[in-house]
Amino acid sequence: MTTAVRERGEAFLADVLARFRTLTWVRLVGDLVVLVGAILLDLWPGPWGDGQASGLTLVAYVAGYAVLLPLRHVLPATLMIAGAAVPFGGPAFMVVLSYTAGRRIESWVKGVVSTAATFAVVVVFWDWAARPIDLDPVYAMLILITLFGVGVALPFLVGRYLAQREALVQAMRDRELRMRGENKLMARQVRLRERSRIAQDMHDSLGHRLSLISVHAGALAMDPSLGEKQREAIGVLRSAALTGMEELRAIIGVLRAEDGPDDDPATRTVESIDSLVADARKAGVLVSLVRGGQAHPLPSRVSHAAYRVAQEGLTNASKHAPGAAVQVSVKYEPDALVVEVRNNPPRNGTPAGSPGVGLIGLTERVRVAGGILHVGALPTGGFRIAAVLPYEETALPDEPEDEQDETEAPQGIRKWAGVGSIAGATLVLAVIIGGFSVLGAQPVTEVVSQENLDRIQVGQPEDEVRELLPSGDEPLVADGELRSQASPEPPDATCVYHLTDEQSYLAKGTRVVRFCFRDGKLVEKKIHVQRNGQ
């Protein structure tokens, strides 16, 4: 447990240092603009500020913004959850935190958990401290969902959509670069095939003819009827033919050399891995070699492929993880040879780059040898290249027919990148708009009409009066908001409050009528004006 926590801490610190190293003036200015904008909108003098903070309180609030907003890049999920409970946090503050969390959180599971926790904090904070007025529960919940959707969910989904789109664009750029590398490799292979064809043609035609010239010249020099000058001329001719043959062999050697002298399978075998590791040690690489199993005779193509796996693994480790420890393993399993090269994470915590196109050629070489190559990152942050090679000679495999065409659309998560964010944003907007539409479409019938108000008189039986009253209050206003400004109720009476059908703008409030019952009769009918905002 302690080791896991330490590794997580080291990874977190490495990520923070990497972000600081990539910090630019443009990002600094952008963060400063966001900080100033949030302060002006939430605290002073913007439209979202409550106008109560001033003096040292305002300075403390500004200091809180200055500390918490920059930390959102390092702890996006934590700051989004905690920001919902910050007493001085305003709408702009929450929008910025939610948007950054959507941009920074990569796992959708962590994103769902973070937003759910934020909603729980918003609900608790609403009930304990932030509920402004005594509203009907349905209307209050709809307002709560609206505030959460606009201030948290929508910014989070926008940030997540932009992050997914950015990742998709980067993946497309990487794919384009990889395709360019593969095209270069293909062009090189075509040139090499053409060189081999030319070399074969030269060997079959010119070599044969030069050999005939040399043979005939040698036979002609033995003719006793020739003079000394003729013999000398024939010797020059034969010497020229032999020289031409040697030059032809040299040219053919150049044309047929694909990877240079190091590609000779006879000199680059699985036994040569020892010298390869020794050379790497001399170059300063912290490399170890582990051999296991009973040695087995290998075909030259398989032995050469094993050497290339070790060579490519050491090259990648030296290039992309300088200073990291490397382990080369050569194991003779009962049915196959396993060659593996794995390296630890780089000491500076940041890889120098991703593996290059050399792995493409290595994959093809292992495939031609009848083996399987595995390349990928390790859970600890390192990298691993492993090949499983057969002991017996295999026929050259054909090109795979089911290989994905380069023009096909990306599959898997890339194909659906951004769709979840758009669907989530659509759902949030549908809930908000649909909720208000349903409540807004409800007819406000729970008011006392002027006709019934005139028919109700003090002293009437309670049953007759209640038949003339609506079934409840006006739906979007709680009962406490109707009685808060009324005069004291009669003693031992049960009172109900209703809105009147006739309202006056000049009254600067809402006309509320109170009916009080005692001993089965109406003992009071009284109208008062509920002032707005009181």
Side-chain angles (χ1 to χ4, degrees):
M1 183 66 179
T2 305
T3 304
V5 172
R6 183 173 65 254
E7 291 179 353
R8 287 175 177 267
E10 292 176 353
F12 176 76
L13 181 60
D15 181 69
V16 173
L17 294 177
R19 292 187 185 279
F20 274 112
R21 280 193 292 267
T22 58
L23 200 60
T24 61
W25 286 106
V26 176
R27 293 182 58 184
L28 284 174
V29 172
D31 273 8
L32 182 61
V33 171
V34 170
L35 174 61
V36 173
I39 292 174
L40 294 180
L41 288 173
D42 287 345
L43 301 180
W44 182 87
W48 295 345
D50 55 11
Q52 298 178 358
S54 61
L56 294 178
T57 303
L58 180 60
V59 172
Y61 287 177
V62 171
Y65 270 49
V67 172
L68 295 178
L69 285 180
L71 285 177
R72 74 188 191 276
H73 298 294
V74 180
L75 302 170
T78 304
L79 263 296
M80 180 179 68
I81 297 173
V86 173
F88 55 83
F93 177 75
M94 202 61 220
V95 167
V96 172
L97 294 182
S98 303
Y99 171 79
T100 304
R103 291 275 293 185
R104 297 296 184 189
I105 298 177
E106 297 180 0
S107 171
W108 67 269
V109 176
K110 185 177 180 181
V112 171
V113 172
S114 301
T115 50
T118 305
F119 181 74
V121 173
V122 169
V123 171
V124 173
F125 186 70
W126 171 274
D127 288 336
W128 284 2
R131 189 167 179 173
I133 55 177
D134 186 15
L135 297 176
D136 182 85
V138 177
Y139 190 51
M141 180 56 65
L142 182 58
I143 292 179
L144 177 62
I145 295 175
T146 301
L147 293 177
F148 175 79
V150 175
V152 178
L154 288 181
F156 181 89
L157 292 172
V158 170
R160 184 162 183 82
Y161 171 78
L162 294 179
Q164 291 175 332
R165 182 179 180 277
E166 183 179 340
L168 180 60
V169 171
Q170 185 61 40
M172 294 176 64
R173 290 176 179 173
D174 295 341
R175 181 171 177 266
E176 182 179 358
L177 292 176
R178 186 175 67 254
M179 290 178 62
R180 290 180 180 178
E182 293 174 353
N183 290 336
K184 291 181 180 179
L185 182 62
M186 184 179 300
R188 181 171 178 270
Q189 291 176 346
V190 171
R191 289 195 300 268
L192 293 176
R193 292 194 189 100
E194 187 64 19
R195 286 179 180 182
S196 298
R197 187 186 65 80
I198 295 173
Q200 187 65 39
D201 292 343
M202 292 178 65
H203 181 271
D204 294 342
S205 58
L206 293 180
H208 179 67
R209 294 184 182 276
L210 288 174
S211 297
L212 290 177
I213 292 174
S214 177
V215 171
H216 285 293
L220 185 60
M222 302 299 294
D223 190 348
S225 63
L226 296 178
E228 189 65 28
K229 290 185 178 180
Q230 287 81 4
R231 293 178 185 276
E232 183 179 353
I234 292 174
V236 172
L237 177 61
R238 186 171 184 274
S239 177
L242 293 175
T243 303
M245 285 288 294
E246 293 178 359
E247 292 179 354
L248 178 60
R249 290 192 186 97
I251 294 174
I252 291 175
V254 172
L255 290 176
R256 300 186 69 177
E258 297 187 1
D259 293 322
D262 288 342
D263 200 51
D264 184 9
T267 60
R268 297 294 182 265
T269 62
V270 67
E271 289 77 13
S272 303
I273 294 178
D274 292 337
S275 60
L276 186 66
V277 171
D279 293 339
R281 287 198 188 102
K282 294 178 182 178
V285 180
L286 300 176
V287 57
S288 60
L289 175 62
V290 178
R291 287 185 176 271
Q294 183 67 33
H296 196 285
L298 301 173
S300 60
R301 192 165 57 205
V302 173
S303 184
H304 189 54
Y307 175 85
R308 282 303 190 193
V309 171
Q311 185 183 49
E312 184 67 23
L314 288 172
T315 302
N316 275 339
S318 301
K319 180 179 179 182
H320 301 292
V326 184
Q327 184 185 63
V328 180
S329 301
V330 180
K331 297 182 180 180
Y332 290 89
E333 300 293 345
D335 55 352
L337 172 66
V338 179
V339 181
E340 181 186 58
V341 180
R342 60 169 62 201
N343 60 268
N344 293 337
R347 291 182 176 180
N348 57 8
T350 304
S354 59
V357 296
L359 293 177
I360 300 175
L362 181 63
T363 302
E364 179 64 17
R365 185 176 295 276
V366 173
R367 187 183 72 87
V368 170
I372 301 174
L373 182 70
H374 173 77
V375 178
L378 295 172
T380 57
F383 199 78
R384 176 175 178 261
I385 299 176
V388 180
L389 299 165
Y391 288 142
E392 67 278 357
E393 187 79 33
T394 57
L396 293 177
D398 297 330
E399 292 294 330
E401 297 179 358
D402 57 345
E403 186 174 353
Q404 180 181 353
D405 189 86
E406 291 292 344
T407 59
E408 293 182 4
Q411 300 297 320
I413 187 64
R414 294 181 183 175
K415 180 179 179 181
W416 301 101
V419 176
S421 300
I422 296 176
T426 303
L427 178 62
V428 172
L429 290 176
V431 170
I432 295 174
I433 296 175
F436 279 105
S437 299
V438 171
L439 290 180
Q442 292 180 358
V444 183
T445 58
E446 297 175 348
V447 296
V448 181
S449 64
Q450 188 63 38
E451 178 183 358
N452 288 338
L453 186 62
D454 293 339
R455 292 171 58 185
I456 296 174
Q457 302 295 329
V458 175
Q460 283 184 262
E462 181 177 354
D463 295 339
E464 295 181 4
V465 174
R466 290 190 178 274
E467 289 180 359
L468 299 176
L469 297 180
S471 58
D473 298 330
E474 197 276 333
L476 300 184
V477 181
D479 185 65
E481 289 297 305
L482 300 180
R483 68 175 67 212
S484 61
Q485 300 178 26
S487 58
E489 297 179 354
D492 299 329
T494 301
C495 301
V496 294
Y497 295 77
H498 293 275
L499 300 179
T500 63
D501 190 14
E502 295 183 359
Q503 301 290 336
S504 173
Y505 176 77
L506 298 178
K508 297 182 180 181
T510 303
R511 297 178 74 245
V512 180
V513 59
R514 181 176 69 189
F515 301 94
C516 296
F517 303 95
R518 186 173 54 207
D519 298 331
K521 294 183 178 181
L522 179 66
V523 297
E524 182 185 69
K525 180 184 74 172
K526 190 172 184 180
I527 298 176
H528 73 275
V529 177
Q530 188 76 16
R531 303 295 180 183
N532 297 330
Q534 299 183 15

